Amino acid sequence: MNYNLDYLKELESESIYVIREVATQFENPVIMFSGGKDSILMTYLAVKAFHPAKLPFTLLHVDTGHNFDETIEFRDNLVSRYGLKLVVGSVQEAIDEGKAVEETGYNATRNYLQTNVLLESLEKGKYDAALGGGRRDEEKARAKERFFSHRDEFGQWDPKNQRPELWNLFNGKKKFGEHFRVFPISNWTELDVWQYFKVENVELPSLYFAHKRQVFERDGILLADSEFIQKKPEERPFEAMVRCRTIGDVTCTGVWKSEASDIDGIIEEVSTTRQTERGGRADDKRSETAMEDRKKQGYF
Amino acid sequence: MSHTSELLRFSTAGSVDDGKSTLIGRLLYDSKSIFEDQYETLRKSTEKRGEEGVNLALLTDGLKAEREQGITIDVAYRYFSTPKRKFIIADTPGHIQYTRNMVTGASTANVALILVDARNGVLEQTRRHAIISSLLQIPHLVVCINKMDLVDFDEKTYVKIQEEFEQFASKLDINDLSFIPISALQGDNVVSRSENMSWYEGPTLMYYLENVHIGSDHNFIDTRFPVQFVIRPNNDEYHDYRGYAGRVAGGIMKKGDEVMLLPSGFKSKIAKIDTFDGELNEAFPPMSVTILLEDDLDLSRGDMIVRENNQPDVAQDLDMMVCWFNERPLMLNGKYTIMHTSNEARCIIKEIQYKLDVNTLHRNLDDKKVVMNDIARVKLRTTKPLFIDAYDKNRITGSVILIDEGTNETVGAGMIV
């Protein structure tokens, strides 16, 4: 008899262990749900972790108001299928109430405004642990992230003073007003995620698969033509076969020319591509340490 | 890429100039795990720093402070895969002031990769890495003798270093030790065989990593199932469902097995091993499953399911090697929170027996001030019994962390002797 666990099962087992640990160490956990594949994976694993009981966590979606329509539709279907509880934090409301000021110009994005809305939503819901779908292979600052990541009362991350994490012992102790970010799928790579989706036959938003869309090019990146992005006069939209590798806000999510119309096609594409998935994220390109800077302030 | 089957975690430790980053860079590059845009970012960063070429260390040193100072501070996790295996590298700094990060990276590793500069031979740092790997019971240790190109690929140099290391390692608890002569810079024996060292007949590093036998790295003998979480759906369909969720820490658990529960000592049988994907006939480490028992007993988090004829020690007085993580020294008679499997208690440090010199293995019985990065043998007493095994028998049931009750920081990691 062979007692070697398949690597996808080992990753699954590790993530489920971490998710269950959250349920026992915290009083009021919440899943940060963006509608992207990583948060879908995390939600799916969380449903598995507590089967046959219901998922004891709420989903929190920070809505910039600049979404792909498909994201919202998918989110609402998921919520009803698993009987989940959804809370939406709205960037539009924050702007309307004067708590946030919208960026203007060609590169305007609400990505940065999300951080405050996220922190405010966490405070309002009195959530003491927020689960995120961050993966260490995504970005160099995330490569340093713990599974259980402590945040002070301002929601800030202190990368130089992180708690050591050994074996499978997770220290979620905190003072009143502090909270934790937890990253159950830290050890998954983009390819692992897709291979798991294939094995598990998980349903995904259509945006991930190649489809025809009006796009335009800016700084070498293809962006979806949308009412939320101000185009420069020379930027002319054209139709192309594209798909998203990550899904964020429309204003900063690049789309890729692709013919991958099913999971097999995507696995083939991901394992041969020479560009990282965040290569199309304008928000990461603002500076060399854009992600670390945002994370310190409380971005997920 | 075809289906990858197993997951192998390995740790590396090293300083700026022993070629560690070059080696990792090469493993990632040759397995096509560095992407063009990453490479381009690296090239730009290197240029901005006024250096030549592409500094692959910038790939692993992800934090601003690390990039500014040009050193690795924190553990960085890196990923690559080949058709045979998926690899997780815990890349740790090698300097003595970061011993704690080395210990962290080593805690989950199957393989420790130790780099030796062929020009310098076995140094203090090499010995320290080996001692920590042995202390943390990493099952396999591979010593890469690097920069062979700078010693004209000389076999005698290689053999001399190997002998020196073996002599030193005989004092350590190392089960599986291998040596590979490489040049990380030129790629000799990293992924492809070296044409410059025909005298070497062993595997390349990549072949070693893809084939080293890790199937026995878990304990499949002694059944240990710490209860992590109790699943009670409380709905009509699953009215009487009471499942004990957790991760198998040891042994092979089968449906129908007679089991004993700790601390109560009650006996029962495994009625069902449940998962979202359906019932299983057996469960083994490191699977996360839900166990249902035939009898209606009261088990909660921190309890453990074992076999009657194979029980862990039930103890309140623990002997352990502790690695200290915090700027505030370990306090004799100090009280800490202790986490062990899914259990938690308070403890008091009763005795500091000696401090271990991680460069020489010397036991210092005189200086007992345990500060950050020190490793010491201590005795402590807990407020309630824990269900423990020796660390060298089971890395899960043999390990603890200590938490400062004031700051909530993880201040120490302990391996039960």
Side-chain angles (χ1 to χ4, degrees):
Chain A
M1 183 65 206
N2 180 6
Y3 291 110
N4 281 351
L5 207 54
D6 170 87
Y7 86 104
L8 287 174
K9 277 285 167 197
E10 183 162 348
L11 289 173
E12 177 195 75
S13 150
E14 177 179 80
S15 301
I16 287 177
Y17 178 83
V18 171
I19 290 165
R20 286 171 173 169
E21 208 56 22
V22 173
T24 75
Q25 291 201 33
F26 298 95
E27 282 173 18
N28 195 13
V30 67
I31 289 181
M32 295 187 282
F33 186 83
S34 70
K37 66 180 189 314
D38 298 323
S39 62
I40 292 167
L41 171 64
M42 186 172 52
T43 308
Y44 181 76
L45 291 167
V47 167
K48 277 196 165 191
F50 301 103
H51 170 85
K54 269 198 171 173
L55 180 61
F57 309 151
T58 303
L59 295 195
L60 170 65
H61 182 218
V62 176
D63 182 356
T64 63
H66 292 172
N67 297 294
F68 291 99
D69 296 339
E70 293 90 335
T71 307
I72 302 297
E73 192 188 315
F74 185 88
R75 177 194 78 188
D76 294 342
N77 281 341
L78 188 83
V79 163
S80 70
R81 182 169 355 129
Y82 292 117
L84 309 175
K85 196 180 151 213
L86 173 74
V87 170
V88 177
S90 165
V91 173
Q92 186 62 53
E93 262 173 41
I95 293 170
D96 295 345
E97 289 167 15
K99 289 176 185 161
V101 180
E102 184 130 46
E103 292 183 356
T104 54
Y106 293 125
N107 291 313
T109 168
R110 290 180 168 179
N111 188 274
Y112 299 86
L113 304 181
Q114 283 183 85
T115 301
N116 281 335
V117 175
L118 171 64
L119 291 174
E120 213 177 276
S121 305
L122 292 177
E123 213 169 292
K124 207 159 110 193
K126 297 192 167 59
Y127 301 115
D128 55 353
L131 293 99
R135 308 189 328 264
R136 288 171 178 160
D137 86 317
E138 270 182 278
E139 205 281 333
K140 56 190 182 295
R142 285 201 171 150
K144 301 273 170 173
E145 186 67 88
R146 302 290 190 262
F147 277 92
F148 272 42
S149 185
H150 179 257
R151 298 298 145 106
D152 67 14
E153 69 258 59
F154 298 102
Q156 298 181 110
W157 183 51
D158 181 2
K160 281 200 273 189
N161 191 27
Q162 298 195 76
R163 293 179 185 176
E165 239 164 39
L166 299 100
W167 301 293
N168 54 1
L169 294 168
F170 297 102
N171 172 3
K173 296 197 183 301
K174 60 183 179 350
K175 290 179 182 152
F176 186 75
E178 299 174 342
H179 76 275
F180 269 76
R181 300 290 170 88
V182 181
F183 302 99
I185 60 164
S186 287
N187 278 331
W188 298 61
T189 63
E190 185 186 13
L191 189 58
D192 297 336
V193 173
W194 284 110
Q195 281 176 332
Y196 185 79
F197 283 152
K198 177 180 157 66
V199 173
E200 297 280 316
N201 206 8
V202 178
E203 198 189 319
L204 289 155
S206 54
L207 286 169
Y208 281 112
F209 303 99
H211 57 281
K212 278 196 186 134
R213 183 177 286 274
Q214 287 289 319
V215 299
F216 68 95
E217 191 177 329
R218 175 180 293 175
D219 302 331
I221 293 170
L222 287 183
L223 290 167
D225 183 26
S226 145
E227 55 179 313
F228 305 123
I229 314 178
Q230 194 185 344
K231 287 187 292 293
K232 296 173 190 170
E234 70 274 20
E235 290 171 338
R236 299 198 183 278
F238 57 93
E239 191 180 79
M241 270 300 259
V242 294
R243 71 175 202 90
C244 295
R245 273 178 83 190
T246 67
I247 294 181
D249 180 291
V250 177
T251 60
C252 63
T253 303
V255 293
W256 303 67
K257 280 197 176 153
S258 170
E259 299 289 328
S261 56
D262 58 13
I263 289 195
D264 283 321
I266 291 175
I267 289 174
E268 174 70 27
E269 189 185 285
V270 170
S271 51
T272 52
T273 183
R274 305 297 289 148
Q275 294 276 317
T276 56
E277 57 188 320
R278 295 194 75 93
R281 291 291 286 255
D283 45 333
D284 287 355
K285 296 210 161 171
R286 290 201 169 182
S287 83
E288 190 180 314
T289 51
M291 177 66 92
E292 184 179 343
D293 296 342
R294 274 181 296 160
K295 280 179 73 70
K296 281 179 182 166
Q297 288 158 13
Y299 182 74
F300 116 79
Chain B
M1 190 175 294
S2 69
H3 187 61
T4 311
S5 68
E6 283 172 324
L7 177 62
L8 182 136
R9 300 172 201 250
F10 69 95
S11 70
T12 60
S15 53
V16 189
D17 32 299
D18 58 10
K20 180 193 65 168
S21 298
T22 314
L23 178 62
I24 292 178
R26 183 156 283 283
L27 285 171
L28 297 181
Y29 197 80
D30 287 358
S31 63
K32 299 192 170 50
S33 308
I34 294 182
F35 299 99
E36 275 167 9
D37 53 330
Q38 263 175 331
Y39 195 80
E40 186 55 22
T41 310
L42 281 183
R43 199 188 55 72
K44 278 190 197 149
S45 308
T46 312
E47 199 178 277
K48 222 158 68 184
R49 297 154 65 96
E51 297 164 7
E52 278 180 35
V54 175
N55 183 349
L56 288 167
L58 293 176
L59 186 72
T60 45
D61 295 338
L63 299 177
K64 219 181 233 178
E66 294 178 311
R67 298 161 85 85
E68 280 162 10
Q69 296 169 46
I71 51 164
T72 311
I73 298 171
D74 204 343
V75 185
Y77 295 91
R78 292 286 155 198
Y79 303 82
F80 69 99
S81 54
T82 69
K84 287 199 85 162
R85 275 181 180 165
K86 171 188 165 84
F87 299 94
I88 302 179
I89 312 175
D91 181 19
T92 69
H95 197 269
I96 184 127
Q97 73 183 96
Y98 301 114
T99 299
R100 56 192 180 130
N101 306 83
M102 242 179 287
V103 168
T104 302
S107 72
T108 50
N110 306 90
V111 172
L113 193 159
I114 293 183
L115 272 171
V116 177
D117 186 328
R119 295 169 303 173
N120 304 329
V122 176
L123 299 178
E124 183 180 281
Q125 182 166 297
T126 323
R127 286 194 288 270
R128 183 163 67 242
H129 297 167
I131 288 171
I132 288 170
S133 305
S134 133
L135 203 63
L136 271 290
Q137 292 283 316
I138 301 180
H140 315 276
L141 204 152
V142 57
V143 182
C144 287
I145 297 166
N146 190 23
K147 306 198 183 179
M148 288 301 292
D149 51 316
L150 299 181
V151 296
D152 297 328
F153 300 104
D154 177 38
E155 184 179 9
K156 277 191 199 127
T157 310
Y158 167 76
V159 171
K160 187 171 156 271
I161 295 171
Q162 179 176 350
E163 283 171 359
E164 196 185 345
F165 192 96
E166 276 173 341
Q167 196 190 354
F168 155 75
S170 63
K171 289 185 279 184
L172 300 175
D173 187 10
I174 296 172
N175 297 321
D176 177 26
L177 177 62
S178 310
F179 297 87
I180 304 174
I182 65 167
S183 164
L185 193 65
Q186 300 187 6
D188 293 76
N189 287 337
V190 178
V191 174
S192 37
R193 290 199 67 81
S194 169
E195 288 171 13
N196 299 307
M197 291 179 276
S198 50
W199 47 264
Y200 172 74
E201 288 174 345
T204 62
L205 176 60
M206 187 64 99
Y207 185 89
Y208 173 89
L209 292 172
E210 284 188 324
N211 291 284
V212 58
H213 176 69
I214 54 170
S216 313
D217 290 0
H218 290 288
N219 180 326
F220 294 116
I221 311 290
D222 312 298
T223 299
R224 305 285 185 262
F225 187 83
V227 175
Q228 186 187 9
F229 186 80
V230 183
I231 294 180
R232 303 199 62 172
N234 282 331
N235 58 27
D236 292 342
E237 194 184 345
Y238 296 98
H239 193 69
D240 295 320
Y241 190 102
R242 189 181 175 84
Y244 303 107
R247 211 170 179 194
V248 185
I252 293 152
M253 306 178 79
K254 292 192 173 74
K255 186 178 171 171
D257 276 355
E258 295 205 17
V259 291
M260 195 174 117
L261 317 176
L262 293 175
S264 68
F266 289 136
K267 284 166 214 157
S268 187
K269 266 188 183 172
I270 297 179
K272 189 175 173 184
I273 301 173
D274 203 13
T275 70
F276 175 87
D277 302 302
E279 205 177 320
L280 301 176
N281 287 322
E282 54 184 13
F284 51 88
M287 289 166 70
S288 284
V289 295
T290 303
I291 304 276
L292 284 87
L293 298 175
E294 283 191 355
D295 305 281
D296 193 14
L297 296 161
D298 185 29
L299 268 175
S300 53
R301 178 173 168 91
D303 293 355
M304 196 182 276
I305 299 175
V306 302
R307 304 290 294 265
E308 189 184 5
N309 58 3
N310 181 340
Q311 299 178 33
D313 287 335
V314 180
Q316 271 180 278
D317 290 293
L318 315 185
D319 249 335
M320 62 179 71
M321 299 300 296
V322 164
C323 175
W324 202 249
F325 288 127
N326 206 259
E327 279 159 0
R328 295 164 60 192
L330 171 71
M331 281 182 302
L332 183 62
N333 295 319
K335 295 189 181 71
Y336 298 93
T337 297
I338 182 169
M339 286 181 83
H340 170 260
T341 65
S342 55
N343 220 335
E344 189 182 311
R346 296 180 72 211
C347 71
I348 180 166
I349 309 291
K350 300 292 268 187
E351 191 186 338
I352 298 169
Q353 290 169 285
Y354 60 82
K355 245 168 52 169
L356 186 76
D357 186 322
V358 287
N359 298 327
T360 62
L361 277 183
H362 175 70
R363 294 176 177 186
N364 192 334
L365 299 164
D366 305 320
D367 171 18
K368 291 186 180 171
K369 190 173 160 66
V370 179
V371 298
M372 188 153 76
N373 295 308
D374 278 348
I375 292 177
R377 171 93 179 234
V378 304
K379 282 180 189 288
L380 55 80
R381 183 166 172 83
T382 56
T383 48
K384 65 173 188 186
L386 302 179
F387 319 122
I388 58 164
D389 291 297
Y391 184 78
D392 63 10
K393 189 169 150 195
N394 189 320
R395 286 166 96 182
I396 301 299
T397 54
S399 54
V400 305
I401 56 171
L402 300 178
I403 297 164
D404 185 295
E405 297 184 328
T407 65
N408 291 327
E409 290 170 314
T410 303
V411 290
M415 290 146 281
I416 296 167
V417 180

